[in-house]
Amino acid sequence: MAKVFKRKGTGRGVVKDFHKKRDTLESLVLVTQVGLTMAGSILFCLLVGYYLDKWLGTRYIFLVIFIVLGIVGGAVTVYRQIMGLPKK
């Protein structure tokens, strides 16, 4: 049979502390997710634009176009993420 080890000071106090910090952690997760979504969209589009310019021999035309598309696409995705949050 497995023994259950219990440390002193654990119990209801730990659960209450977790519930107090839960809102803060959820906010931190949302901010991190929004930042990574924007950065990822812009970086992906930047790379696509760069390689299209390199392949076609143009000078930064596709790079600028795809950076703008990355910013707009990232903003739309972030907006949808924020609007999809449950209301409290």
Side-chain angles (χ1 to χ4, degrees):
M1 229 194 255
K3 286 186 177 181
V4 177
F5 294 100
K6 198 170 187 182
R7 292 185 291 168
K8 285 187 177 182
T10 59
R12 289 202 182 275
V14 173
V15 174
K16 286 181 184 178
D17 288 342
F18 176 75
H19 287 298
K20 287 180 186 177
K21 294 178 183 178
R22 183 176 183 159
D23 291 335
T24 305
L25 291 174
E26 285 178 355
S27 298
L28 182 63
V29 167
L30 177 65
V31 169
T32 303
Q33 183 178 4
V34 165
L36 289 174
T37 299
M38 282 298 294
S41 297
I42 294 169
L43 181 65
F44 175 74
C45 289
L46 181 137
L47 291 173
V48 169
Y50 173 79
Y51 284 110
L52 275 175
D53 279 333
K54 191 174 176 182
W55 180 54
L56 297 173
T58 55
R59 299 192 81 188
Y60 306 115
I61 300 295
F62 289 107
L63 182 68
V64 172
I65 291 171
F66 275 88
I67 287 176
V68 171
L69 287 175
I71 293 169
V72 172
V76 168
T77 304
V78 165
Y79 177 77
R80 287 182 182 168
Q81 286 174 342
I82 292 173
M83 289 297 118
L85 291 175
K87 305 288 185 213
K88 287 189 176 183

